[in-house]
C-alpha cells in the first residue's frame, strides 16, 4: 500500500482525536422545495477563433450595376469565337480613356484577351461568389445581373488573443505566447462565486504554475422549508497525477450529493458522510481513465488524489466533514472564542495525538507536512470525519485549503484575518482572505469559502 502523500506546504496545529460527532435530528416537515443553488467554477474563456476563409471578388469597385448594351469587350457566348467579337466591334466606338468599367467588361488584370480563333476561356470564380451572367436574348438590352454575395457577419474575423505579458505576441492553442513564451492565465487561475449567503474564491497563488484547488457552493431547503447552505473545498495532491481534475471531480460530486440528500430529509451529518464517499468514488474513477501509455511512461506516479473539507449550515446546526489537511474554522461575530473545527490527517498530527512527540518537535520534522488521509484509488481505508455543532451566536464558517491557513494557522490568527463584516459581505471577505495569503507569499494555491451562520432564534433550545 502506498505511503502518505507529501503535502504541498504548510504546517498543521491543534491536534486532537478525529471522529464523527453526535448526530442532531432535524425536525420533520413537509415536502422539500427544489434546490436553489448548484455547482459552478466560472465561465470558460472562449478559445481563439480561426480566421474565416476570405472570398476574393473579381468585380471592379465602382462598376455600374446595369449591363451595357454595346460593349466592345463583352465576352461572347460560348458558341462564338473571338473573331466574331472583333467583327462586331468594328461599328462601335472605343471607350474613352479613364471611363468607368461597365458591367460585363473584364477588369484589368482579371482576364486576359482571348486568342483569336480559340474559344474564350472562363476563369473559375472563388467559392461563394457569383460572377456568371446569362447571355442576353436577341433584341434585348442585356442579361440579368447576379449581385456579389455579401460577407457572412457570423464568421467575421476576430482579433487573435494577445499575450498579457509582452502585449505583442499571439497566444497559441496551448496557452503560451508565440513571442515571449509566457503562459497565459487559465480559467481556474482565479475563480469567484457567490450563491445566496455563501461565497468562495480560489487563486493559483504566486508560485504554482496551475491551480489544483477547487470549490463548490450551493443552497437548498430542508423538508420543513428552512434554508440550508453548503460549501465544499478540495485541494489536489501535487505528488499525484492530474490533481486539478481530482479536486474538481470531488468538489462537484460532494456538492451534488449534499444538494440531493438534504431536501429529502437526510440528516446533515449523514448527508456529509455520504457526500465524502461520493467524492471518493469520483476521484477513484479518474484512475481508471488513465491511458495505458501514461502508466508506461510514468509508472512511479500515484493515482489522482485530493483532500476535502465541507460545511453544511442550517438555522440551528453546523456540520463539517473532511479527509486530509484542509480545514474549517468557526469565527463568531464577537471573535470570542474562535475555534478550529477539524483535525488534520497528517504525520505530525498523528505523532502528537499518540503522545509520541510534542507539537513543536513534530511540526519541526521534515515529515510533518505529509498527509495520512486523502481521496484517491491508492488511499488507505477511507475514514470520513464528520462533526456537528450548535453555535449559540451568529458568525461565519471559514472552509479553506492549507494555502490560506499556512498564513493564519491558529483560530485566533484566522479570526484576526477575517473582516468584521464577513457574515454580511462573504464574497468581499473571501477576497480579503485570499489577498492575505498572497501578501504572505502565496506559496500555494489559495481557496476559501465563507458560510454565514445565522443568529439563533430567541428561545431556541428551550422546552
Amino acid at each position: 500500500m502506498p505511503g502518505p502523500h507529501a503535502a504541498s506546504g504548510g504546517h498543521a496545529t491543534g491536534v486532537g482525536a478525529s471522529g464523527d460527532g453526535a448526530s442532531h435530528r432535524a425536525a420533520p416537515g413537509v415536502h422539500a422545495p427544489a434546490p436553489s443553488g448548484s455547482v459552478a467554477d466560472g465561465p470558460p474563456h472562449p478559445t481563439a477563433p480561426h480566421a474565416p476563409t476570405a472570398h476574393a471578388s473579381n468585380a471592379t469597385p465602382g462598376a455600374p450595376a446595369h449591363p451595357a448594351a454595346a460593349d466592345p469587350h463583352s465576352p461572347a457566348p460560348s458558341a462564338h469565337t473571338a473573331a466574331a467579337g472583333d467583327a462586331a466591334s468594328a461599328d462601335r466606338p472605343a471607350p474613352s480613356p479613364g471611363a468607368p468599367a461597365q458591367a460585363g467588361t473584364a477588369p484589368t488584370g482579371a482576364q486576359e484577351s482571348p486568342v483569336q480563333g480559340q474559344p474564350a476561356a472562363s476563369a473559375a470564380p472563388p467559392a461563394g461568389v457569383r460572377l456568371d451572367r446569362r447571355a442576353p436574348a436577341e433584341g434585348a438590352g442585356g442579361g440579368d445581373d447576379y449581385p456579389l454575395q455579401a460577407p457572412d457577419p457570423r464568421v467575421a474575423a476576430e482579433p487573435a488573443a494577445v499575450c498579457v505579458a509582452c502585449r505583442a505576441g499571439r497566444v497559441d492553442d496551448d496557452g503560451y505566447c508565440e513571442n515571449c513564451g509566457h503562459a497565459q492565465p487559465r480559467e481556474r487561475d482565479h475563480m469567484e462565486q457567490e450563491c445566496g449567503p455563501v461565497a468562495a474564491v480560489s487563486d493559483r497563488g504566486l508560485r504554482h504554475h496551475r491551480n489544483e484547488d477547487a470549490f463548490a457552493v450551493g443552497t437548498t431547503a430542508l423538508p420543513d422549508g428552512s434554508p440550508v447552505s453548503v460549501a465544499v473545498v478540495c485541494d489536489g495532491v501535487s505528488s499525484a497525477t492530474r490533481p486539478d481534475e481530482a479536486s474538481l471531480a470531488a468538489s462537484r460530486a460532494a456538492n451534488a450529493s449534499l444538494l440531493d440528500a438534504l431536501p429529502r430529509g437526510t440528516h446533515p451529518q449523514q448527508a456529509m458522510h455520504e457526500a465524502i464517499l461520493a467524492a471518493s468514488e469520483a476521484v477513484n474513477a479518474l484512475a481508471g481513465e488513465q491511458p495505458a501509455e501514461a502508466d508506461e511512461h510514468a509508472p512511479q506516479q500515484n493515482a489522482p488524489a485530493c483532500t476535502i473539507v465541507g460545511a453544511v449550515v442550517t438555522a440551528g446546526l453546523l456540520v463539517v466533514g473532511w479527509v486530509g489537511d484542509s480545514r474549517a474554522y468557526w469565527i463568531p461575530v464577537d471573535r470570542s472564542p474562535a475555534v478550529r473545527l477539524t483535525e488534520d490527517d497528517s504525520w505530525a498530527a498523528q505523532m502528537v495525538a499518540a503522545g509520541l512527540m510534542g507539537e513543536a518537535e513534530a511540526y519541526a520534522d521534515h515529515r510533518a507536512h505529509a498527509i495520512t488521509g486523502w481521496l484517491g484509488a491508492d488511499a488507505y481505508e477511507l475514514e470520513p470525519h464528520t462533526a456537528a455543532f450548535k453555535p449559540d451566536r451568529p458568525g461565519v464558517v471559514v472552509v479553506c485549503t492549507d494555502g490560506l491557513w499556512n498564513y493564519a494557522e491558529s483560530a485566533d490568527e484566522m479570526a484576526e484575518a477575517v473582516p468584521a463584516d464577513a457574515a454580511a459581505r462573504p464574497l468581499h471577505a473571501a477576497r480579503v482572505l485570499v489577498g492575505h495569503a498572497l501578501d504572505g507569499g502565496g506559496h500555494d494555491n489559495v481557496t476559501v469559502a465563507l458560510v454565514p451562520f445565522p443568529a439563533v432564534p430567541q428561545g431556541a433550545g428551550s422546552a
Side-chain angles (χ1 to χ4, degrees):
M1 190 164 293
H5 286 279
S8 56
H11 304 277
T13 62
V15 179
S18 301
D20 291 356
S23 299
H24 300 277
R25 185 62 54 187
V30 295
H31 190 70
S36 61
S38 60
V39 185
D41 288 315
H45 293 290
T47 55
H50 295 286
T53 303
H55 296 293
S57 173
N58 289 337
T60 302
H66 62 278
D71 188 349
H73 300 288
S74 176
S78 57
H80 294 272
T81 62
D86 292 338
S89 63
D91 299 331
R92 301 187 182 96
S96 60
Q102 295 176 324
T105 303
T108 303
Q111 179 179 340
E112 296 180 358
S113 300
V115 179
Q116 186 171 359
Q118 295 182 1
S122 58
V129 179
R130 291 292 299 271
L131 296 179
D132 54 326
R133 177 193 305 278
R134 285 190 290 175
E138 290 190 18
D144 297 334
D145 282 332
Y146 293 95
L148 298 179
Q149 178 177 335
D152 189 344
R154 296 171 299 178
V155 294
E158 297 183 14
V162 179
C163 175
V164 299
C166 68
R167 305 300 301 170
R170 176 184 174 275
V171 179
D172 62 20
D173 294 338
D174 294 329
Y176 290 86
C177 175
E178 295 179 346
N179 179 48
C180 67
H182 186 86
Q184 305 302 297
R186 298 178 176 88
E187 174 189 350
R188 290 176 61 177
D189 281 358
H190 186 89
M191 302 177 292
E192 298 183 355
Q193 186 182 357
E194 192 169 28
C195 182
V198 193
V201 176
S202 181
D203 192 271
R204 177 171 59 92
L206 305 178
R207 303 294 182 90
H208 282 241
H209 70 285
R210 65 179 175 186
N211 190 358
E212 297 171 356
D213 288 357
F215 67 80
V217 296
T219 58
T220 184
L222 298 178
D224 62 0
S226 60
V228 56
S229 301
V230 171
V232 178
V233 168
C234 296
D235 185 356
V237 178
S238 297
S239 60
T241 59
R242 298 152 65 194
D244 53 332
E245 296 181 37
S247 62
L248 184 63
S251 61
R252 288 178 170 176
N255 188 70
S257 178
L258 287 169
L259 295 180
D260 176 66
L262 292 169
R264 291 190 283 104
T266 305
H267 188 273
Q269 192 168 359
Q270 178 63 29
M272 179 62 73
H273 181 89
E274 295 173 357
I276 295 177
L277 296 180
S280 177
E281 292 177 1
V283 178
N284 292 348
L286 295 177
E289 300 173 2
Q290 186 76 4
E293 56 271 17
D295 293 335
E296 296 176 0
H297 290 90
Q300 75 284 358
Q301 290 191 341
N302 298 317
C306 69
T307 68
I308 186 170
V309 61
V312 174
V313 170
T314 70
L317 185 66
L318 163 60
V319 170
V320 295
W322 74 97
V323 173
D325 62 348
S326 293
R327 296 180 176 180
Y329 293 81
W330 162 246
I331 313 295
V333 289
D334 56 7
R335 298 299 193 268
S336 177
V339 180
R340 195 179 69 168
L341 304 176
T342 59
E343 299 292 344
D344 299 339
D345 287 322
S346 68
W347 181 89
Q350 283 191 346
M351 293 299 103
V352 175
L356 300 177
M357 302 176 70
E359 186 172 324
E361 181 185 4
Y363 286 102
D365 193 282
H366 69 280
R367 296 167 289 182
H369 311 310
I371 58 174
T372 57
W374 63 88
L375 305 182
D378 61 354
Y380 297 113
E381 184 177 353
L382 180 62
E383 296 181 4
H385 311 295
T386 63
F389 306 90
K390 285 190 173 182
D392 59 356
R393 68 198 73 184
V396 64
V397 184
V398 178
V399 185
C400 65
T401 62
D402 59 347
L404 172 60
W405 65 253
N406 281 336
Y407 303 98
E409 194 167 343
S410 70
D412 290 339
E413 289 174 329
M414 185 64 71
E416 185 177 350
V418 173
D421 60 349
R425 303 173 62 196
L427 181 58
H428 167 75
R431 290 169 176 164
V432 170
L433 290 174
V434 169
H436 176 78
L438 297 180
D439 291 343
H443 287 75
D444 201 354
N445 307 144
V446 189
T447 302
V448 57
L450 293 182
V451 189
F453 187 87
V456 179
Q458 294 295 328
S462 60

